[in-house]
Amino acid sequence: MSAEATSPAKVGIIMGSQSDLRVMGDAAEILEEFAVPHELTIVSAHRTPQRLVEYAESAASRGIDVIIAGAGGAAHLPGMVASMTPLPVIGVPVKASISIDGWDSILSILQMPAGVPVATVAMDNARNAALLAVQILGCADSDLRDKMTAYKQALAAKVETMVERVDREGWRAVRSSL
Amino acid sequence: MSAEATSPAKVGIIMGSQSDLRVMGDAAEILEEFAVPHELTIVSAHRTPQRLVEYAESAASRGIDVIIAGAGGAAHLPGMVASMTPLPVIGVPVKASISIDGWDSILSILQMPAGVPVATVAMDNARNAALLAVQILGCADSDLRDKMTAYKQALAAKVETMVERVDREGWRAVRSSL
Amino acid sequence: MSAEATSPAKVGIIMGSQSDLRVMGDAAEILEEFAVPHELTIVSAHRTPQRLVEYAESAASRGIDVIIAGAGGAAHLPGMVASMTPLPVIGVPVKASISIDGWDSILSILQMPAGVPVATVAMDNARNAALLAVQILGCADSDLRDKMTAYKQALAAKVETMVERVDREGWRAVRSSL
Amino acid sequence: MSAEATSPAKVGIIMGSQSDLRVMGDAAEILEEFAVPHELTIVSAHRTPQRLVEYAESAASRGIDVIIAGAGGAAHLPGMVASMTPLPVIGVPVKASISIDGWDSILSILQMPAGVPVATVAMDNARNAALLAVQILGCADSDLRDKMTAYKQALAAKVETMVERVDREGWRAVRSSL
Amino acid sequence: MSAEATSPAKVGIIMGSQSDLRVMGDAAEILEEFAVPHELTIVSAHRTPQRLVEYAESAASRGIDVIIAGAGGAAHLPGMVASMTPLPVIGVPVKASISIDGWDSILSILQMPAGVPVATVAMDNARNAALLAVQILGCADSDLRDKMTAYKQALAAKVETMVERVDREGWRAVRSSL
Amino acid sequence: MSAEATSPAKVGIIMGSQSDLRVMGDAAEILEEFAVPHELTIVSAHRTPQRLVEYAESAASRGIDVIIAGAGGAAHLPGMVASMTPLPVIGVPVKASISIDGWDSILSILQMPAGVPVATVAMDNARNAALLAVQILGCADSDLRDKMTAYKQALAAKVETMVERVDREGWRAVRSSL
Amino acid sequence: MSAEATSPAKVGIIMGSQSDLRVMGDAAEILEEFAVPHELTIVSAHRTPQRLVEYAESAASRGIDVIIAGAGGAAHLPGMVASMTPLPVIGVPVKASISIDGWDSILSILQMPAGVPVATVAMDNARNAALLAVQILGCADSDLRDKMTAYKQALAAKVETMVERVDREGWRAVRSSL
Amino acid sequence: MSAEATSPAKVGIIMGSQSDLRVMGDAAEILEEFAVPHELTIVSAHRTPQRLVEYAESAASRGIDVIIAGAGGAAHLPGMVASMTPLPVIGVPVKASISIDGWDSILSILQMPAGVPVATVAMDNARNAALLAVQILGCADSDLRDKMTAYKQALAAKVETMVERVDREGWRAVRSSL
């Protein structure tokens, strides 16, 4: 349905509207960083329900292993996709302009009934959705798991660098530079 | 799909699970009271998505004029039906055991994006959903509108009766009898 | 009470204050787009209660079929109009400056007691209120129902166009253009 | 409209439904304790809007000085009465069975627009509504103000008695007797 | 403690901090408009507790009839004043920068225990607090009650003027001028 | 650390307290149903932090592929485990007696910072956590994916059976039997 | 003011009402367990404001080092005591029957303005308030700090015992015994 | 780990990220004002869990008496530190950009289970965290307690100065100068 990589996509990133790209682009960037083949497209649960059905029903047979779905307001996309695929679906609550402080998208995605889970991540946190996809793929790909371990070490190193900077320059200097 | 009346149904009542009958049965009772032909069945957005598509896409051609959909938790049924029919869809947020004080079902039903409205009524208030359906049908059926006017007069009369009882017996007696 | 169309109005749009025009104007625009005769005026439940009574009690006899009422804060306009008319009333919660994140207007409009429904739509979503009015009128007007079907197809087409643009230009380009 | 006292009523207690008597009866009891002439009746904003108008418009001329109005859910009674009378209106949010944890009644009563205040008290706290009415009448009635001062001293004395009991018997004994 | 009028003050306006003047100044303006003698000063419950005690205990004997108290965050000023005076106390929840969307000040002021009411008005609505004070004083001052009736008529007239403007110029023109 | 299966465990189920077994036992039951080797034990983030570190750091090398962690209140267990393992971690917010309507556990688990995702499922929904674990393992195990597809078909079949029962017996009979 | 120990009290436990003993008694039990001399009494901010002033102003000179204050609803006791003493004040939000899900007491206690902190603990968690008091006294009392270390080891040991029981008996047996 | 004072630090200020310096710097400024030796550094619970363990386990032996920990979102830092030290831990909920109106950080820090308290202060109120630390140290340092008493008198004096300014210049002038 779209092409973001030369190998067949393993992760499908979908979102309800192009305005969600502001948030959901981060997921693609992480997957690029981890060299995970992926695709990205727009599927609106409410405006293109047929497209939603086709996407969800075909994903597994097309080789997709994990679906990342982001939406705002009454966010039905992640849960409806989950209802039509055996794949794990990761939901990203987007705090859209139509949102009530984000509560609507969080609860619409999180509170799925028994039988149909959606792996929900923090509001607007598409980066974490992609990292979770990498962790999932890492269950069968030890290289990817090693990369994840390295990624976490890099996160720690970045904190250590900042610790040293605060020690060296003093917190006031660091605060001023924020 | 089910039969609750001899004439072709004009109102379709659907719900995500049989446990919602506790709340949604009230809608059928109101429609019986107003002699509006209707049908009632179970359609689960998350467990029977194909059935959802069939129901939503066929409703108008089967003669249904209004759909009443009730669901709890991440309640996607009303909004997804609304995405696939030109008919007005009334949503009933059900405070299911899986609900977070009902906020999840309210926000999942209410906060639909521009283009796909759901007419949301108060939590667990399937009776109001049915009255709203009667009002909608009343736009083209003056008998039904007259019945609605009479219904409202009966509501008022019931209050007046209670006013008189409080005047006659005193509020303490009425409170004791609650 | 006001005149927005040459034919007698079928939909009455009211709001508590002129500042609600920012939101409620969208409803009139949708009705124009669907060529539904309508009227628009200001009725304040709290500052002009007599006007509220007159409007609500006369609407049906003046030929109005559906009322759309928008208000913010302790939003009593939709529910009070609904208490005095057999017509369906659609409520638009407006996130006014006096609102607490919009929760006050949502709950004041949505949580009507049994017997007096208000068809509540998403916060600030007057466009959806008007589309719901069109769907309601479509129950007795097959042309209007066809237009609604076409409207939904246009929504889908717009998504498809964006899907193609993302495929063609890449998501980064589309994101940059937001 | 009802008679709870031989002298003309100075405080009018109204509520949306007889089920609110469970809470609102406390207001009448406090007014009896302070010997303030009062009346108590049922006025439903949504089921008897005409009665609401009559009550609100006639209250001042009938000698009423303060109105106490209790209601649950989308609680429009206090605010609508306030819109039609120059008298101070005290609102009691009732946590009815139809309520969402009481938030709906609190916000529907509290968040009135500029120009039309409602003096809101704590949820289900009709006793405080009546005490506030006594304080208001006390502005022109020094006997009543003195009684209020005595009432507060009695509240303090009751605490002191409990303090002594805890000192004498130990907190464990008092806790066991709760 | 301060002097805003030549006659002895009947209404005392207090607030926790000078930053509350942004909101609370509106109360003084309304009282000026109604020619009600009043005073305005700062009393911090948490930084000047002794001053709080003195203010609350002396208010009645100084001739004050109504106290208006505004505060933000954990807003203890209105309730603590109410605990030490037989006068009616009106509380204004202020959405200060330290507030969590205003919920903290609303709940801290509204949810007073039985025995010690605070008449709470809408968030940041000091104007309504002053109008409520006028209504309270109006119980013993028919001139003031007549002024309140006139004030309400002026509110209605302002709406009517806007209604006519919308009719005359069209809603689009009015919306553009917002 | 515990033994629930003869093969080496692939899924580790942990929870903050034995009282969470009420909810978390459901996860083990689903994994049994899918014949996924798993282990279940108690790890308290706050009372046994060393045990938390050991569990999280050793899980991957012990052959665990997915961790399911449930906790209530300020629920730090899922997020802290996630900080110390490259494995995907699924979090179950438990509505413990110490919870504020479950909001505390939901937000403590869901709102993880960028870099450290937790796959959050609905409140008290340990069953969905286990189904998500099966879906994750299914990425590298086509038998498991087929079982998941069959599981979903069984869910649908159960709904269809109930649909037929409602058609055959009528909704009143079904409601009575709830 | 009360006597719970032979040595002069170092911790003062106060609460707004005897009904708070249900929760606040736990604090006294912890202090007994740690052999910390303490006193317990009732001080109502709203019904006995003078007593509040006396208690707060005299506590430090009477040898009290830490004050634990519990209250429900609009909980002003902890903050007002904090305003009148240089001692650390620990606040316990009590979910009283008058509470709105406990949010009112939490926010009334937590959201103190800059300059006057209250050390707030979890809802109804008087046990933690007492443990915090022990930790505070432990800053100058190494025996007490050692006891706290031992207490934490005992907490861990209790978890370990339960871990072993689950391993030995199986989780189903433990769940059944809950 | 860092050095902000020549004497060994008695208070350790930590935070999850350098961006928290915006808020947490205020704590260091208050401690400087009170001449309390302290240190400030960054410890991320989720990115540097080992560092968290080292910091928490070594703090007491390094001479630290009180720990102040600030974090946003799913804020696990304060609670996890508290789980590994016998010292009192003060938690500052930071309203980070990733926060949902701050509710997530408040509840993640406040709602600790029995046995492991965190002394929570108001959102973003690092100043109060430091004042609480001073009060805690004041239990064993009468000079510090005297400074705290003086600090409170200075707060009161500042209010008095503003009271006089309002009296002298009038509230309008003061409001204009805000």
Side-chain angles (χ1 to χ4, degrees):
Chain A
M1 290 197 169
S2 100
E4 291 290 315
T6 49
S7 332
K10 295 204 130 189
V11 178
I13 304 171
I14 56 177
M15 65 209 73
S17 150
Q18 65 269 27
S19 66
D20 298 326
L21 273 173
R22 179 185 54 81
V23 164
M24 299 303 294
D26 295 355
E29 281 171 350
I30 288 285
L31 294 177
E32 285 171 19
E33 194 179 329
F34 280 86
V36 172
H38 60 282
E39 62 178 31
L40 179 155
T41 192
I42 296 168
V43 178
S44 168
H46 299 123
R47 290 174 293 158
T48 60
Q50 280 78 8
R51 181 171 163 79
L52 160 72
V53 173
E54 284 157 29
Y55 189 92
E57 288 185 347
S58 70
S61 63
R62 287 192 301 111
I64 297 289
D65 270 337
V66 183
I67 295 171
I68 296 173
H76 299 177
L77 183 65
M80 288 311 299
V81 168
S83 77
M84 290 181 275
T85 180
L87 303 180
V89 176
I90 301 171
V92 183
V94 175
K95 188 173 174 173
S97 59
I98 61 166
S99 246
I100 303 179
D101 292 322
W103 292 113
D104 40 14
S105 37
I106 287 177
L107 292 174
S108 300
I109 293 175
L110 182 71
Q111 284 295 102
M112 291 293 291
V116 189
V118 167
T120 311
V121 294
M123 191 164 65
D124 279 356
N125 209 328
R127 206 197 315 180
N128 272 5
L131 291 170
L132 184 57
V134 171
Q135 290 173 326
I136 288 170
L137 296 174
C139 292
D141 179 341
S142 61
D143 278 2
L144 218 44
R145 186 171 290 173
D146 291 348
K147 277 190 198 171
M148 178 54 62
T149 301
Y151 181 85
K152 281 172 162 294
Q153 286 164 345
L155 283 179
K158 226 166 135 186
V159 174
E160 297 287 354
T161 303
M162 189 52 72
V163 167
E164 282 156 31
R165 193 179 151 206
V166 170
D167 283 355
R168 201 174 53 241
E169 302 180 15
W171 65 265
R172 274 190 176 81
V174 177
R175 185 173 64 172
S176 301
S177 71
L178 288 180
Chain B
M1 288 196 168
S2 100
E4 290 289 316
T6 47
S7 332
K10 298 202 127 190
V11 177
I13 305 171
I14 56 177
M15 66 209 73
S17 151
Q18 67 268 25
S19 66
D20 298 326
L21 273 173
R22 180 185 55 79
V23 164
M24 299 303 294
D26 295 356
E29 281 172 351
I30 287 285
L31 293 178
E32 286 171 18
E33 195 178 327
F34 279 86
V36 172
H38 60 282
E39 62 179 30
L40 179 154
T41 192
I42 296 169
V43 178
S44 168
H46 298 123
R47 290 174 293 159
T48 59
Q50 281 76 10
R51 181 171 164 78
L52 161 71
V53 173
E54 286 158 29
Y55 190 92
E57 290 186 346
S58 70
S61 63
R62 287 192 302 110
I64 298 289
D65 271 337
V66 183
I67 295 172
I68 296 173
H76 300 177
L77 183 64
M80 288 311 299
V81 167
S83 77
M84 292 180 273
T85 179
L87 302 179
V89 175
I90 301 170
V92 182
V94 175
K95 188 173 176 172
S97 57
I98 61 165
S99 246
I100 303 179
D101 292 323
W103 292 112
D104 40 14
S105 35
I106 287 177
L107 293 174
S108 300
I109 293 175
L110 182 70
Q111 284 295 99
M112 292 293 289
V116 189
V118 167
T120 311
V121 295
M123 189 165 65
D124 279 356
N125 210 328
R127 212 203 303 186
N128 272 6
L131 291 169
L132 184 57
V134 170
Q135 289 173 327
I136 289 171
L137 296 174
C139 293
D141 179 339
S142 63
D143 277 2
L144 219 43
R145 186 171 289 173
D146 291 349
K147 276 190 199 169
M148 178 55 61
T149 301
Y151 181 85
K152 282 171 161 296
Q153 287 164 344
L155 283 180
K158 226 164 135 188
V159 174
E160 297 286 355
T161 303
M162 188 53 70
V163 166
E164 283 157 29
R165 192 178 152 207
V166 170
D167 283 354
R168 201 172 55 237
E169 302 180 15
W171 65 264
R172 275 190 176 82
V174 176
R175 183 171 67 172
S176 301
S177 71
L178 286 180
Chain C
M1 288 197 171
S2 100
E4 290 290 315
T6 48
S7 330
K10 296 202 131 189
V11 178
I13 304 171
I14 55 177
M15 65 208 73
S17 150
Q18 66 269 28
S19 65
D20 298 326
L21 273 173
R22 180 186 54 81
V23 165
M24 298 303 294
D26 295 356
E29 282 171 350
I30 287 286
L31 294 177
E32 285 171 20
E33 194 178 328
F34 280 86
V36 172
H38 59 282
E39 62 179 30
L40 180 154
T41 193
I42 296 169
V43 178
S44 167
H46 299 122
R47 290 174 293 158
T48 58
Q50 279 78 7
R51 181 170 163 80
L52 161 71
V53 173
E54 284 157 30
Y55 189 93
E57 289 185 347
S58 70
S61 63
R62 287 193 301 111
I64 297 290
D65 271 337
V66 183
I67 295 171
I68 295 173
H76 299 177
L77 182 65
M80 288 311 300
V81 168
S83 77
M84 290 180 275
T85 179
L87 302 180
V89 175
I90 301 170
V92 182
V94 175
K95 188 174 176 173
S97 58
I98 61 166
S99 245
I100 302 179
D101 292 323
W103 292 112
D104 41 13
S105 36
I106 288 177
L107 292 174
S108 300
I109 293 175
L110 182 70
Q111 284 293 102
M112 291 292 290
V116 190
V118 167
T120 313
V121 296
M123 190 164 64
D124 278 357
N125 210 327
R127 208 200 310 182
N128 271 6
L131 291 170
L132 184 57
V134 170
Q135 290 174 326
I136 288 171
L137 295 174
C139 293
D141 179 341
S142 61
D143 278 2
L144 218 43
R145 186 171 290 173
D146 291 348
K147 277 190 198 172
M148 178 55 60
T149 301
Y151 181 86
K152 283 171 161 294
Q153 286 163 346
L155 283 179
K158 227 166 136 186
V159 174
E160 297 287 355
T161 303
M162 188 51 71
V163 167
E164 282 156 30
R165 191 178 153 207
V166 170
D167 283 355
R168 201 174 54 240
E169 301 180 17
W171 65 264
R172 273 190 176 82
V174 177
R175 186 173 62 172
S176 301
S177 71
L178 286 180
Chain D
M1 287 195 170
S2 98
E4 291 289 316
T6 47
S7 333
K10 297 202 126 188
V11 177
I13 304 172
I14 55 177
M15 66 208 73
S17 150
Q18 66 268 26
S19 66
D20 297 327
L21 273 173
R22 179 185 56 80
V23 164
M24 299 303 294
D26 295 356
E29 281 171 350
I30 288 285
L31 294 177
E32 286 171 18
E33 196 178 327
F34 280 87
V36 172
H38 59 282
E39 62 180 29
L40 180 156
T41 193
I42 296 169
V43 178
S44 168
H46 298 123
R47 290 174 292 158
T48 58
Q50 281 76 9
R51 180 171 165 78
L52 160 71
V53 173
E54 284 158 29
Y55 189 92
E57 290 185 347
S58 70
S61 63
R62 286 192 302 110
I64 298 288
D65 271 337
V66 183
I67 295 172
I68 295 174
H76 300 178
L77 183 64
M80 289 310 300
V81 168
S83 77
M84 291 180 274
T85 180
L87 303 179
V89 176
I90 301 171
V92 182
V94 175
K95 188 173 176 172
S97 58
I98 60 166
S99 245
I100 302 178
D101 292 323
W103 292 112
D104 40 15
S105 35
I106 287 177
L107 293 174
S108 301
I109 294 175
L110 183 70
Q111 283 295 99
M112 292 294 289
V116 189
V118 168
T120 312
V121 294
M123 189 165 65
D124 280 356
N125 210 328
R127 211 204 303 187
N128 272 6
L131 291 170
L132 184 56
V134 171
Q135 290 173 327
I136 289 171
L137 295 175
C139 292
D141 180 341
S142 61
D143 278 1
L144 218 44
R145 186 170 289 173
D146 291 349
K147 276 190 198 171
M148 178 56 61
T149 300
Y151 181 85
K152 282 171 161 295
Q153 287 164 345
L155 283 179
K158 227 165 136 186
V159 174
E160 298 287 354
T161 302
M162 188 52 71
V163 167
E164 282 157 30
R165 193 180 151 205
V166 170
D167 283 356
R168 201 172 54 238
E169 303 180 15
W171 65 263
R172 275 190 176 82
V174 176
R175 184 172 66 171
S176 301
S177 71
L178 287 179
Chain E
M1 288 195 169
S2 100
E4 290 290 316
T6 48
S7 330
K10 295 203 130 188
V11 177
I13 304 172
I14 55 178
M15 66 209 72
S17 150
Q18 66 269 28
S19 66
D20 298 326
L21 272 174
R22 180 187 53 83
V23 164
M24 298 303 295
D26 295 355
E29 281 171 350
I30 287 285
L31 294 177
E32 285 171 21
E33 195 179 328
F34 279 87
V36 172
H38 59 283
E39 62 179 30
L40 180 155
T41 192
I42 297 170
V43 178
S44 168
H46 299 122
R47 291 174 292 158
T48 58
Q50 280 78 8
R51 181 170 163 80
L52 161 71
V53 173
E54 283 158 30
Y55 190 92
E57 289 185 348
S58 69
S61 63
R62 287 193 302 109
I64 297 289
D65 270 337
V66 183
I67 295 171
I68 296 173
H76 299 177
L77 182 65
M80 288 310 299
V81 167
S83 77
M84 291 180 274
T85 180
L87 302 180
V89 175
I90 300 171
V92 182
V94 175
K95 188 173 176 173
S97 58
I98 61 165
S99 245
I100 303 179
D101 293 323
W103 292 113
D104 41 13
S105 37
I106 288 177
L107 292 174
S108 301
I109 294 175
L110 182 70
Q111 284 295 100
M112 291 293 290
V116 190
V118 167
T120 312
V121 296
M123 190 164 65
D124 279 356
N125 210 327
R127 208 202 308 184
N128 272 5
L131 291 169
L132 184 57
V134 170
Q135 290 174 326
I136 288 171
L137 295 174
C139 293
D141 180 341
S142 61
D143 278 2
L144 218 44
R145 186 171 289 172
D146 291 348
K147 277 191 198 171
M148 177 55 61
T149 300
Y151 180 86
K152 283 171 160 294
Q153 286 163 345
L155 283 179
K158 227 165 134 187
V159 174
E160 298 286 354
T161 303
M162 188 52 71
V163 167
E164 282 156 30
R165 191 178 152 207
V166 170
D167 283 355
R168 200 173 55 238
E169 302 180 16
W171 65 264
R172 273 189 177 82
V174 176
R175 185 172 64 171
S176 302
S177 71
L178 287 179
Chain F
M1 289 196 169
S2 99
E4 291 288 317
T6 48
S7 333
K10 298 203 126 190
V11 177
I13 305 171
I14 56 176
M15 66 209 72
S17 150
Q18 65 268 28
S19 65
D20 297 326
L21 274 173
R22 180 185 55 80
V23 164
M24 298 302 294
D26 296 355
E29 282 171 350
I30 287 285
L31 294 178
E32 286 172 18
E33 195 179 327
F34 279 87
V36 171
H38 59 282
E39 60 179 31
L40 179 155
T41 192
I42 296 169
V43 179
S44 168
H46 298 122
R47 290 174 293 159
T48 60
Q50 279 76 9
R51 182 171 162 78
L52 160 71
V53 173
E54 285 159 29
Y55 189 92
E57 290 185 347
S58 70
S61 63
R62 287 192 302 111
I64 298 288
D65 271 337
V66 183
I67 294 171
I68 296 173
H76 299 178
L77 182 65
M80 287 313 298
V81 168
S83 77
M84 291 180 274
T85 180
L87 304 180
V89 176
I90 301 171
V92 183
V94 175
K95 187 174 176 171
S97 58
I98 60 165
S99 246
I100 302 179
D101 292 322
W103 292 113
D104 40 14
S105 35
I106 288 177
L107 293 174
S108 300
I109 293 175
L110 181 71
Q111 283 296 100
M112 291 293 290
V116 190
V118 168
T120 311
V121 295
M123 189 165 65
D124 279 357
N125 209 328
R127 211 203 305 185
N128 272 5
L131 291 169
L132 184 57
V134 171
Q135 290 173 327
I136 288 170
L137 296 174
C139 292
D141 180 341
S142 62
D143 278 2
L144 219 43
R145 187 171 287 172
D146 291 348
K147 276 190 198 170
M148 178 56 61
T149 300
Y151 181 85
K152 282 172 160 296
Q153 287 163 344
L155 283 180
K158 225 165 135 188
V159 174
E160 297 287 355
T161 302
M162 188 52 71
V163 166
E164 283 156 29
R165 192 178 152 207
V166 169
D167 283 356
R168 200 172 55 239
E169 301 180 16
W171 64 265
R172 274 190 176 82
V174 177
R175 184 171 65 170
S176 301
S177 71
L178 288 179
Chain G
M1 287 196 169
S2 96
E4 291 289 316
T6 49
S7 332
K10 296 202 128 190
V11 177
I13 305 171
I14 55 176
M15 65 208 73
S17 149
Q18 65 266 28
S19 66
D20 298 326
L21 273 173
R22 180 185 55 80
V23 164
M24 298 303 293
D26 295 356
E29 281 171 350
I30 287 285
L31 294 177
E32 286 171 18
E33 196 179 327
F34 280 86
V36 171
H38 59 283
E39 61 178 31
L40 180 156
T41 193
I42 297 169
V43 178
S44 168
H46 299 123
R47 290 174 293 159
T48 59
Q50 280 78 7
R51 182 172 163 78
L52 160 71
V53 173
E54 285 158 29
Y55 189 92
E57 290 185 347
S58 70
S61 63
R62 286 193 302 111
I64 297 288
D65 270 337
V66 183
I67 294 171
I68 296 174
H76 299 178
L77 182 65
M80 288 311 299
V81 167
S83 77
M84 291 180 274
T85 180
L87 303 179
V89 175
I90 301 171
V92 183
V94 175
K95 188 173 176 172
S97 57
I98 61 165
S99 247
I100 302 178
D101 293 322
W103 293 112
D104 40 14
S105 35
I106 288 176
L107 293 174
S108 301
I109 293 175
L110 182 70
Q111 284 295 101
M112 290 294 289
V116 189
V118 168
T120 312
V121 294
M123 190 165 65
D124 279 357
N125 210 328
R127 211 204 303 185
N128 272 5
L131 291 169
L132 184 57
V134 170
Q135 290 173 326
I136 288 170
L137 296 174
C139 292
D141 180 341
S142 62
D143 278 2
L144 218 43
R145 186 171 289 172
D146 291 349
K147 277 191 199 171
M148 178 55 60
T149 300
Y151 181 85
K152 282 172 160 296
Q153 287 164 344
L155 283 180
K158 226 165 136 188
V159 173
E160 297 287 354
T161 303
M162 189 52 72
V163 166
E164 283 157 29
R165 193 178 152 205
V166 170
D167 283 355
R168 201 172 54 239
E169 303 180 15
W171 65 265
R172 274 190 176 81
V174 176
R175 184 172 66 173
S176 302
S177 71
L178 286 179
Chain H
M1 288 195 167
S2 100
E4 291 289 316
T6 49
S7 331
K10 296 204 129 187
V11 178
I13 304 172
I14 55 177
M15 66 209 73
S17 151
Q18 66 269 28
S19 66
D20 298 326
L21 273 173
R22 180 186 54 80
V23 164
M24 299 303 294
D26 295 355
E29 282 171 350
I30 288 285
L31 294 177
E32 286 170 19
E33 193 179 330
F34 280 86
V36 172
H38 60 283
E39 61 179 31
L40 180 155
T41 192
I42 296 169
V43 178
S44 167
H46 299 123
R47 292 174 293 157
T48 60
Q50 279 78 7
R51 182 171 162 79
L52 161 71
V53 173
E54 283 157 32
Y55 189 92
E57 289 185 347
S58 69
S61 63
R62 287 193 301 111
I64 297 289
D65 271 337
V66 183
I67 295 171
I68 295 173
H76 299 177
L77 182 65
M80 288 311 298
V81 168
S83 77
M84 291 180 275
T85 180
L87 302 180
V89 176
I90 301 171
V92 182
V94 175
K95 188 173 176 174
S97 58
I98 61 166
S99 245
I100 303 178
D101 292 323
W103 292 112
D104 40 14
S105 36
I106 288 177
L107 292 174
S108 301
I109 293 175
L110 182 71
Q111 283 295 100
M112 292 293 290
V116 190
V118 167
T120 312
V121 295
M123 191 164 64
D124 279 356
N125 210 328
R127 208 201 310 184
N128 272 5
L131 291 170
L132 184 56
V134 171
Q135 289 174 327
I136 289 171
L137 296 174
C139 292
D141 181 340
S142 61
D143 277 2
L144 218 44
R145 186 170 290 171
D146 291 348
K147 277 190 199 171
M148 177 55 61
T149 300
Y151 181 86
K152 283 172 161 294
Q153 287 163 344
L155 284 179
K158 227 165 134 188
V159 174
E160 297 287 354
T161 303
M162 188 53 70
V163 166
E164 282 157 30
R165 191 178 154 207
V166 170
D167 283 355
R168 200 175 54 240
E169 301 180 16
W171 65 264
R172 273 190 176 83
V174 177
R175 185 172 64 172
S176 301
S177 71
L178 287 179

